[in-house]
């Protein structure tokens, strides 16, 4: 028997095939059978209580693998499970044995052919204990049945290397023995295929026929398919179910075969392991069957340090280099990828050997990668490269640029030749480790990592013009920068950052020493400056710039004068900080900023990553200080917004202190979806220290009872000048309304209050008291989705009549019964009601309720805006409203009827309103079942000389082509009319 079959995982699978009574009998016969064979006795107590997994381990431990199977086979015979004996023997001696031998031979060859695995020479082809534990966790023995696992990891983290090790370890019998067959598919190979069958894919390089398929098909639950590099395919798995295939012998396009396998249309009992970069379409996960998402992480800090010591051999030098890399968070993070750890370490080792100051090399990422590439082409011991090396590097840069613009990352010999690299250059490029050869194709080459391709692509623009490139797809530098800053191509990570970095004075000296003086560095600097200026002059381009990407670019320049000029071009900035790595470049740029007027940023819970009990590093705190200091260094900054952040006490305190600073002139402050720390009192002090602050939005930020109390105390303070306060979805409760009642009674500066999406319930009684108070100066009140209790509705008419200041009321998404609506409408018709705007969206209003609303339209001369969307009022209800709208006593200007169950039958009534209502300027009808005939009636009314409508809310996409053209023509005919997709 092959050793590979004896793992306890294989044995455990066979034990798992036993029924409960058979497994109990197996245990009973185990003692008797071991005596027959003259084997030592196992601890009976352990056997008696053991699970299948435990028993498999005991058998392997006490008897050794071969004897464990002998015992098992004898007992299977005794309990009449000869089928399992036959199955196991067939697996040991049949196609499975042949396939395992094939896998071992193939992947051993792959290991020594693929140059990436040979770059970091301490990498062994056997799984490390850490890798082994990780892989066992993915398909743990206790997990039964089919599974789909998605293994995510950035390029260079070692996904393919680990999978190659997995295949070798499985073939050798050390892991995943519950699978009879594991099939590895490389997506780079699959992409080249057209039509095939799954059976042909399985047998393609180890069997001359499809004869093994019958055996393989007999146990589909013991099959594992590995799909490596899924993002290379560019598939989205959106094929209709009718196009998929369940027959694995059927010849179909490779895309259909893979989609059928991945969506479990084919072999639903099998397991899947899909390895992909994070950039693969997230929508794919929705098509997979209950996928388990796992992340493959690279080197931890200890492993990075060990690697540096191994690489340098001189431990002291290794530790020195590691310490410098540790200080540059971006470089340190890159070293999680084994290939980049090798790149960084190798570069610093070369720099030390040349007597260079590696502290300078580590200051910026561009500096390190440019040094690495230039060192590859400088002979050891030489101070300058020869001409051949210069030409070779220029060819490599040309190849890199072509690849970036064509989304090509695997190149053939023809690609190399087109960019000036002849066949004789290839061995030198492979030896230098600039390129590596792929195991799956004889003449298939890639840069050792995308970072190296990107630094070479950036270098191209300093040595040549895009007009000199043989491939017309290679565009200008301006297009490169614009594409990068708008994040059009998500595969580009550093290319433009490197371009900015290479334009620096320090890099200029380095490049001139390598290439001579024939560089375009001055031209590059001027182009970058002119292009940034042109972005600011274009409102469209400025609105689409990703400012975070620009910060990374500017950070690489190490030119404070240029950075100051560039950032002060921007007055309105939106920043989305997703990682702690973003803090340093953002802080570097913002501390030079003095022209900001509006700033919005999100830290995406960056600080929460530190852990509740872990203090934030001093470097991160310093960066955060520079970010917050824009509040005091930008005299024209009037709007500031923070969202989606979990600010700890230290970071929150820094923000609060800047907000309270006498130089802060903020007028509008938004703190949305933020978790306030225990020191929130510092923040509420801002309200009494910022006399210019008029607008405060805390929507989505959960407020505790103490927070609400502190807020109300601040609002009571006479130096607080807040006029507009938004507290939507802040977790407010009925008892919080006590504080707001006092605010409504005493704060005459507060004019707008939004309490929507809070559970106020009977707290409305307290709010009504405050609203009825003679000193209440509230102009607008939003109480949408506040769970207003039944006994509170009767108080609404009261404050509408008592409060002379209130002109806008929004009580949308509350259950408003007909009788309560009648009371409300009765108050609205009284001469003492001054309400001008009323929102009753999604209030369960019916046709009957429209009778009361129609009376309001004719009797309330102040009402200008009525929003009734998402109510089932129907055509009959609209007819009642239309009769009122054409009356001379109606002064309504805006009417919302979106999603009101209307049909084209009401269009005639609406057309009459458009012609006869002299005040209506805005009408919303989106989401109703109008057809072409109904829209035609409306358009005829819009053309009437007496129609004064200026704004029509109607989604054109909801209609057929003919109706869309009708609406577009009408909009073009009438320049004063806008048809908005609302």
């Amino acid at each position: 028997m092959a050793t590979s079959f004896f793992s306890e995982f294989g044995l455990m699978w066979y034990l798992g095939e036993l029924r409960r009574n058979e497994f109990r009998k197996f245990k009973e016969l185990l003692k008797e059978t071991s005596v027959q064979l003259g084997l030592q006795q196992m601890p009976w107590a352990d056997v008696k209580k053991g699970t299948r997994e435990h028993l498999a381990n005991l058998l392997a431990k006490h008897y050794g693998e071969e004897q464990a199977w002998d015992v098992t086979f004898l007992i299977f015979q005794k309990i009449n499970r000869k089928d399992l004996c036959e199955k196991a023997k067939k697996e040991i001696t049949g196609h499975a044995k042949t396939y395992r031998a094939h896998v071992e031979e193939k992947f051993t060859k792959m290991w020594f052919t693929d140059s990436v695995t040979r770059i970091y020479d301490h990498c062994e082809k056997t799984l490390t204990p850490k890798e082994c534990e990780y892989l066992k966790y993915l398909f743990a023995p206790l997990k039964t049945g089919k599974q789909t696992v998605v293994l995510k990891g950035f390029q260079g983290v070692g996904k393919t290397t680990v999978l190659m090790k997995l295949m070798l370890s499985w073939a050798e019998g050390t892991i995943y023995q519950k699978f009879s067959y594991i099939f590895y598919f490389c997506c780079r190979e699959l992409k080249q295929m057209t039509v095939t069958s799954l059976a042909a894919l399985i047998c393609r390089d180890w069997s001359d026929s499809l004869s093994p398929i019958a055996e393989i098909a007999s146990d589909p639950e013991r099959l594992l398919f590995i799909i490596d590099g899924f993002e290379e395919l560019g598939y989205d798995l959106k094929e209709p179910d009718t196009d998929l295939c369940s027959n694995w012998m059927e010849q179909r396009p490779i895309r259909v075969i893979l989609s059928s396998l991945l969506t479990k249309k084919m072999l639903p009992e099998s397991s899947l392991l899909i390895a992909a970069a994070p950039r693969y379409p997230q929508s794919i996960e929705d098509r997979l069957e209950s996928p388990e998402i796992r992340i493959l992480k690279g080197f931890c800090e200890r492993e990075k340090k060990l690697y540096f010591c191994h690489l340098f051999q001189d431990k002291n030098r290794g530790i020195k280099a590691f310490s410098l890399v540790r200080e540059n968070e971006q470089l340190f993070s890159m070293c999680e990828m084994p290939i980049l750890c090798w790149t960084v370490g190798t570069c610093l080792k070369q720099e030390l050997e040349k007597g260079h100051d590696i502290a300078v090399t580590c200051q910026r990422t561009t500096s390190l990668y440019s040094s690495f590439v230039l060192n590859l082409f400088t002979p050891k011991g030489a101070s300058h490269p020869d001409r051949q090396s210069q030409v070779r590097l220029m060819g490599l840069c040309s190849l890199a640029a072509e690849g970036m613009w064509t989304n090509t990352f695997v190149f053939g010999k023809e690609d190399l030749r087109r960019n000036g690299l002849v066949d004789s250059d290839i061995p030198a490029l492979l030896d230098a480790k600039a390129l590596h050869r792929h195991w799956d194709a004889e003449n298939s080459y890639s840069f050792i990592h995308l970072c190296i391709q990107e630094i070479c692509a950036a270098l191209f623009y300093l040595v040549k013009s895009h007009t000199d490139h043989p491939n017309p797809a290679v565009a200008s530098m301006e297009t490169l920068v614009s594409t990068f800053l708008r994040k059009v191509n998500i595969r580009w990570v550093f290319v433009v950052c490197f371009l900015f970095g290479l334009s620096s004075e320090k890099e200029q000296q380095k490049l001139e020493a390598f290439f001579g003086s024939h560089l375009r560095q001055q031209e590059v600097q001027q182009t970058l400056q002119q292009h940034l200026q042109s972005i600011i002059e274009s409102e469209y381009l400025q609105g689409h710039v990703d400012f975070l990407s620009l910060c990374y670019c500017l950070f690489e320049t190490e030119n404070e004068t240029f950075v100051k000029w560039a950032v002060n071009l921007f007055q309105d900035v939106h920043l989305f900080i997703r990682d702690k790595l973003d803090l340093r470049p953002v802080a570097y740029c913002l501390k030079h900023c003095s022209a900001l007027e509006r700033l919005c940023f999100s830290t995406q819970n960056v600080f929460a990553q530190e852990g509740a009990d872990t203090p934030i590093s001093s470097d991160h705190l310093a960066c955060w200080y520079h970010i917050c200091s824009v509040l005091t260094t930008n005299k024209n900054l009037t709007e500031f917004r923070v969202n989606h952040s979990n600010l700890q006490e230290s970071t929150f305190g820094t923000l609060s202190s800047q907000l309270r600073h006498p130089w802060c002139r903020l007028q509008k402050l938004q703190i949305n979806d933020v978790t306030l720390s225990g020191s929130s009192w510092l923040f509420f002090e801002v309200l009494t220290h910022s006399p210019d602050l008029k607008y405060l939005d805390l929507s989505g930020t959960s407020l505790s009872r103490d927070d609400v109390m502190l807020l109300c105390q601040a609002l009571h303070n006479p130096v607080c000048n807040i006029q507009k306060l938004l507290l939507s979805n802040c977790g407010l409760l009925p008892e919080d309304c006590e504080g707001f009642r006092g605010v409504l009674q005493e704060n005459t500066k507060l004019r707008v209050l939004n309490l929507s999406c809070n559970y106020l319930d009977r707290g409305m009684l307290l709010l009504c008291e405050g609203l009825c108070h003679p000193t209440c100066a509230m102009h607008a009140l939003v109480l949408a989705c506040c769970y207003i209790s039944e006994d509170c509705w009767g108080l609404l008419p009261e404050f509408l009549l008592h409060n002379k200041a209130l002109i806008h009321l929004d009580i949308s998404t509350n259950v408003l019964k007909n009788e309560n609506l009648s009371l409300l409408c009765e108050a609205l018709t009284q001469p003492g009601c001054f309400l001008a705007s009323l929102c009753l969206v999604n209030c369960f209003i019916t046709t009957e309720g429209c009778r009361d609303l129609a009376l309001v339209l004719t009797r309330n001369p102040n009402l200008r805006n009525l929003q009734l969307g998402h109510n089932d009022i129907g055509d009959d209800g609209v007819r009642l409203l239309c009769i009122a709208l054409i009356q001379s006593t109606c002064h309504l200007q805006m009417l919302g009827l979106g999603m009101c169950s209307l049909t084209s039958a009401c269009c005639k009534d609406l057309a009459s309103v458009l012609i006869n209502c002299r005040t209506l300027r805005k009408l919303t009808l989106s989401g109703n079942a109008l057809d072409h005939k109904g829209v035609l009636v409306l358009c005829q009314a819009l053309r009437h000389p007496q129609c004064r409508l200026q704004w029509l809310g109607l989604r054109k996409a909801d209609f057929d082509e003919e109706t869309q053209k009708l609406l577009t023509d009408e909009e073009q005919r009438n320049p004063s009319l806008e048809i908005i997709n609302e």
Side-chain angles (χ1 to χ4, degrees):
M1 293 185 190
T3 306
S4 61
F5 192 65
F6 293 128
S7 165
E8 64 270 22
F9 291 105
L11 182 55
M12 193 199 76
W13 186 89
Y14 277 88
L15 293 177
E17 289 296 287
L18 299 176
R19 302 179 188 91
R20 186 180 296 179
N21 62 322
E22 290 174 335
F23 184 55
R24 187 173 61 250
K25 187 69 174 172
F26 184 97
K27 289 181 176 181
E28 292 171 1
L29 291 170
L30 183 57
K31 190 174 183 181
E32 172 189 320
T33 307
S34 58
V35 170
Q36 283 180 351
L37 295 174
L39 302 174
Q40 68 178 75
Q41 292 292 305
M42 289 191 295
W44 178 245
D46 290 345
V47 171
K48 195 172 182 180
K49 65 182 180 182
T51 63
R52 286 164 168 78
E53 181 186 6
H54 185 56
L55 188 58
N57 288 328
L58 282 173
L59 284 165
K61 177 183 176 182
H62 287 275
Y63 298 151
E65 292 172 333
E66 191 160 358
Q67 285 186 337
W69 276 103
D70 289 340
V71 171
T72 300
F73 284 149
L74 275 173
I75 299 175
F76 280 175
Q77 298 273 1
K78 292 177 181 180
I79 61 176
N80 201 27
R81 288 305 304 265
K82 295 179 183 178
D83 59 319
L84 292 180
C85 294
E86 293 301 316
K87 191 183 196 66
K89 288 172 182 175
K90 186 186 292 185
E91 191 167 354
I92 294 167
T93 58
H95 294 296
K97 182 180 179 181
T98 303
Y99 179 68
R100 285 175 187 267
H102 160 75
V103 166
E104 187 165 8
E105 180 183 355
K106 175 183 176 180
F107 281 87
T108 299
K109 183 180 178 182
M110 279 170 52
W111 183 267
F112 292 109
T113 303
D114 194 310
S115 51
V116 166
T117 59
R118 292 184 285 111
I119 284 176
Y120 26 96
D121 56 11
H122 80 304
C123 185
E124 299 293 337
K125 68 185 180 78
T126 54
L127 288 168
T128 65
K130 176 184 172 182
E131 291 167 339
C132 201
E133 284 304 310
Y134 183 80
L135 290 172
K136 283 181 179 180
Y137 169 69
L138 296 184
F139 293 96
L142 292 176
K143 294 180 180 179
T144 56
K146 58 191 175 184
Q147 284 179 262
T148 298
V149 176
V150 178
L151 183 63
K152 290 185 181 181
F154 289 103
Q155 188 207 9
V157 78
K159 298 186 297 297
T160 297
T161 301
V162 167
L163 293 177
M164 289 167 68
K165 289 183 176 187
L166 184 161
M167 293 300 292
L168 283 166
S169 297
W170 172 78
E172 293 164 1
T174 57
I175 196 171
Y176 284 3
Q177 296 307 296
K178 69 177 182 178
F179 295 114
S180 298
Y181 290 88
I182 301 181
F183 299 108
Y184 173 93
F185 296 150
C186 171
C187 290
R188 194 165 49 246
E189 283 186 282
L190 298 183
K191 198 174 182 179
Q192 312 305 318
M193 298 182 182
T194 52
V195 176
T196 187
S197 68
L198 182 61
L201 272 179
I202 285 171
C203 295
R204 63 187 163 141
D205 58 358
W206 65 282
S207 175
D208 296 332
S209 69
L210 299 182
S211 57
I213 293 301
E215 179 186 308
I216 295 169
S218 65
D219 285 314
E221 71 278 4
R222 296 195 68 194
L223 304 180
L224 171 63
F225 291 92
I226 296 176
I227 317 293
D228 188 18
F230 184 79
E231 72 283 352
E232 296 288 339
L233 296 171
Y235 290 0
D236 53 16
L237 301 187
K238 287 185 178 177
E239 286 82 7
D241 288 343
T242 52
D243 290 353
L244 299 180
C245 167
S246 58
N247 183 356
W248 57 339
M249 302 294 289
E250 188 177 340
Q251 294 271 329
R252 298 293 292 273
I254 186 67
R255 182 181 185 122
V256 173
I257 295 295
L258 281 175
S259 294
S260 302
L261 181 65
L262 293 173
T263 58
K264 294 298 181 77
K265 176 76 173 178
M266 188 185 292
L267 291 175
E269 306 90 347
S270 65
S271 296
L272 295 169
L273 176 55
I274 304 164
R279 66 174 179 266
Y280 85 119
Q282 295 300 113
S283 58
I284 287 172
E285 290 174 15
D286 298 331
R287 293 276 287 163
L288 299 174
E289 187 179 276
S290 304
E292 296 180 45
I293 311 301
R294 299 286 179 255
I295 307 298
L296 181 63
K297 296 181 179 179
F299 285 162
C300 64
E301 181 166 351
R302 175 179 165 276
E303 289 169 320
K304 295 175 193 176
K305 190 172 184 179
L306 285 173
Y307 189 86
F308 266 73
C309 292
H310 168 85
L311 191 65
F312 278 80
Q313 295 176 335
D314 182 334
K315 186 178 178 182
N316 291 331
R317 281 192 160 195
I319 291 174
K320 178 186 176 183
F322 174 78
S323 299
L324 289 169
V325 171
R326 185 73 183 84
E327 292 173 10
N328 184 325
E329 201 166 8
Q330 191 171 23
L331 282 179
F332 188 70
S333 176
M334 287 178 171
C335 286
E336 289 180 15
M337 316 295 171
I339 188 67
L340 292 185
C341 195
W342 173 84
T343 301
V344 172
T346 298
C347 176
L348 296 181
K349 185 179 179 183
Q350 292 168 339
E351 290 291 280
L352 276 173
E353 289 170 353
K354 290 184 174 185
H356 293 170
D357 183 357
I358 61 172
V360 175
T361 309
C362 287
Q363 283 179 356
R364 292 294 188 270
T365 307
T366 303
S367 178
L368 186 135
Y369 279 99
S370 65
S371 296
F372 173 79
V373 170
L374 297 180
N375 286 339
L376 293 183
F377 291 88
T378 303
K380 194 168 185 178
S383 57
H384 301 286
D386 53 35
R387 180 58 187 162
Q388 187 180 19
S389 296
Q390 290 176 335
V391 171
R392 200 170 277 155
L393 178 55
M394 284 193 279
L396 194 68
C397 292
S398 179
L399 179 72
E402 179 178 313
M404 297 304 293
W405 281 108
T406 59
N407 273 336
T408 303
F409 305 97
V410 180
F411 305 95
K413 279 193 174 182
E414 184 54 41
D415 300 315
L416 272 66
R417 290 191 194 108
R418 184 170 55 253
N419 288 281
L421 297 169
V422 296
D423 289 358
S424 59
D425 289 324
I426 294 176
L429 291 171
L430 292 173
D431 288 343
K433 299 185 174 68
L435 295 180
H436 79 94
R437 179 187 287 114
H438 288 281
W439 55 267
D440 54 334
E442 185 179 349
N443 297 312
S444 177
Y445 308 94
S446 290
F447 287 83
I448 61 168
H449 193 271
L450 181 59
C451 286
I452 306 303
Q453 184 170 346
E454 290 194 273
I455 188 69
C456 290
L459 269 168
F460 168 79
Y461 285 92
L462 280 98
V463 295
K464 285 190 177 181
S465 167
H466 73 283
T467 56
D468 299 329
H469 201 286
N471 191 327
V474 176
S476 67
M477 192 190 314
E478 294 91 335
T479 306
L480 177 75
V481 175
S482 179
T483 303
F484 181 82
L485 292 181
R486 289 185 292 124
K487 297 188 80 67
V488 173
N489 192 322
I490 60 171
R491 288 195 177 209
W492 295 359
V493 181
F494 295 113
V495 60
V496 175
C497 298
F498 288 150
L499 184 63
F500 273 75
L502 290 170
S503 69
S504 71
E505 186 177 338
K506 185 175 72 175
E507 291 300 309
Q508 184 173 351
Q509 295 171 359
K510 188 193 300 182
L511 295 177
E512 284 180 354
F514 186 92
F515 288 106
S517 57
H518 307 295
L519 291 173
R520 302 175 63 241
Q521 219 144 2
Q522 294 298 322
E523 185 183 337
V524 168
Q525 288 176 347
Q526 291 172 6
T527 301
L528 292 175
Q529 192 161 351
Q530 289 168 5
H531 188 62
L532 286 177
Q533 185 70 52
S534 68
I535 286 174
I536 293 305
E537 292 169 359
S538 165
E539 189 176 335
Y540 172 80
L541 289 176
Q542 186 180 164
H544 287 79
V545 166
D546 180 66
F547 194 79
L548 178 62
S549 296
L550 179 61
C551 286
Y552 270 100
C553 292
L554 295 174
F555 180 71
E556 290 296 316
T557 65
E558 297 186 81
N559 185 335
E560 292 194 4
T561 303
F562 179 71
V563 172
K564 190 175 293 186
W565 170 83
V567 294
N568 283 322
L569 293 172
F570 293 83
Q571 297 175 336
D572 190 352
V573 164
H574 291 253
L575 267 169
F576 300 94
I577 302 172
R578 301 171 183 87
D579 193 278
K580 293 191 292 293
L581 293 176
D582 300 335
L583 292 172
R584 192 178 178 197
V586 167
Y588 177 79
C589 291
L590 288 185
K591 74 178 180 181
H592 292 105
C593 208
S594 58
L596 280 180
E597 294 179 5
R598 290 170 298 278
L599 174 62
C600 169
F601 74 85
S602 165
T603 60
Q604 290 287 315
N605 292 320
V606 166
F607 295 111
Q609 294 174 13
E610 300 279 358
D613 303 320
T614 307
I616 299 171
S617 72
S618 57
D619 286 343
H620 293 155
L621 279 177
C623 291
W624 179 244
Y625 172 80
H626 288 303
I627 291 171
C628 294
S629 67
V630 297
L631 290 162
T632 56
T633 56
N634 290 257
K635 295 179 181 179
N636 296 320
L637 185 65
T638 58
E639 296 183 26
F640 185 68
R641 179 179 178 181
V642 185
N643 59 23
H644 299 292
S645 302
N646 192 334
L647 303 179
Q648 292 191 358
E649 187 170 343
S650 53
T651 49
F652 195 70
T654 302
L655 174 60
S656 299
S657 66
Q658 293 296 305
L659 287 166
R660 297 196 309 274
H661 198 282
W663 292 352
C664 180
R665 292 289 179 264
L666 214 59
Q667 296 176 17
K668 187 174 181 179
L669 176 61
Q670 294 174 260
I671 309 286
N672 302 142
D673 300 304
V674 171
T675 301
L676 299 180
S677 69
S679 58
S680 55
W681 62 273
L682 289 169
F683 171 74
F684 292 115
E685 278 193 0
V686 170
L687 305 187
T688 58
H689 286 76
S690 303
D692 297 306
L693 193 61
K694 305 289 193 302
Y695 177 105
L696 177 62
D697 181 358
L698 296 176
S699 298
T701 294
S702 182
L703 300 177
S704 67
R705 307 289 72 77
D706 289 341
D707 291 336
V708 174
M709 183 179 69
L710 290 168
L711 171 61
C712 291
Q713 286 174 0
L715 291 168
H716 276 296
N717 195 309
V719 299
C720 175
N721 292 320
I722 296 295
Q723 296 177 5
K724 189 171 183 178
L725 178 62
L726 280 64
L727 299 174
S728 176
N729 191 28
C730 287
L732 303 180
L733 295 174
E735 50 266 36
D736 293 322
C737 294
E738 177 69 39
F740 292 115
R741 175 179 63 176
V743 172
L744 291 170
Q745 291 174 345
E746 299 176 25
N747 188 329
T748 57
K749 297 174 186 175
L750 187 63
R751 302 302 172 87
V752 178
L753 179 62
N754 184 337
L755 299 175
S756 61
C757 302
N758 290 292
Y759 183 73
L760 301 186
D761 191 43
R762 291 181 60 80
M764 276 297 302
L765 297 170
L766 297 169
L767 291 179
C768 287
E769 284 184 37
L771 289 162
C772 288
H773 198 275
T775 58
C776 179
M778 191 61 55
H779 285 183
L781 180 64
V782 181
L783 299 171
C785 192
C786 282
Y787 303 89
I788 299 174
S789 64
E790 178 65 24
D791 54 352
C792 293
W793 284 109
L795 294 174
L796 289 182
E798 185 179 346
F799 78 71
L800 286 176
L801 295 174
H802 281 81
N803 193 314
K804 308 302 180 185
L806 194 69
I807 57 174
H808 173 78
L809 176 65
D810 184 349
I811 50 175
S812 301
T813 317
N814 287 291
V815 180
L816 182 56
K817 294 181 179 178
N818 282 338
E819 55 267 31
N820 293 324
L821 179 60
S822 295
L823 289 172
L824 178 64
C825 289
E826 186 178 343
L828 290 167
T829 59
Q830 300 301 312
C833 179
F834 294 94
L835 202 69
S837 175
L838 178 63
C839 291
L840 299 173
V841 174
N842 193 29
C843 281
F844 303 91
I845 297 171
T846 61
T847 301
E848 186 61 31
C850 290
R851 296 184 187 279
D852 296 314
L853 290 168
L855 284 175
V856 174
L857 293 176
T858 57
R859 294 182 184 179
N860 187 328
N862 301 311
L863 194 64
R864 298 290 188 270
N865 176 27
L866 178 62
Q867 298 299 318
L868 298 173
H870 292 267
N871 285 295
D872 191 16
I873 62 177
D875 296 338
D876 292 338
V878 166
R879 188 171 295 112
L880 294 169
L881 296 175
C882 288
I883 293 170
L885 285 162
I886 60 176
Q887 302 301 312
S888 59
T889 53
C890 176
H891 300 284
L892 202 70
Q893 295 177 1
M894 293 178 281
L895 177 63
L897 296 172
M899 300 288 288
C900 282
S901 304
L902 308 183
T903 70
S904 291
C906 73
C907 288
K908 189 174 180 182
D909 296 309
L910 290 170
S912 176
V913 170
L914 295 178
I915 296 169
N916 296 299
C917 181
R918 296 185 178 182
T919 58
L920 193 66
R921 299 290 183 269
K922 183 174 180 178
L923 174 65
T924 303
L925 294 172
S926 297
N928 290 299
L930 307 184
D931 58 17
H932 180 77
K933 187 182 292 186
V935 174
L936 182 61
V937 171
L938 292 176
C939 287
Q940 288 170 349
L942 289 168
R943 293 171 192 155
H944 196 282
Q946 286 184 228
C947 178
R948 293 173 172 80
L949 199 72
Q950 299 172 356
W951 195 99
L952 177 62
L954 206 59
R955 283 194 296 267
K956 295 176 189 174
D958 290 348
F959 299 99
D960 58 30
E961 259 184 64
E962 185 183 9
T963 310
Q964 288 185 42
K965 185 177 185 306
L966 179 66
L967 290 167
T968 302
D969 290 346
E970 185 57 36
E971 198 171 17
Q972 291 173 351
R973 186 197 67 80
N974 186 350
S976 63
L977 175 68
E978 282 186 277
I979 300 178
I980 308 295
N981 290 323
E982 185 180 89

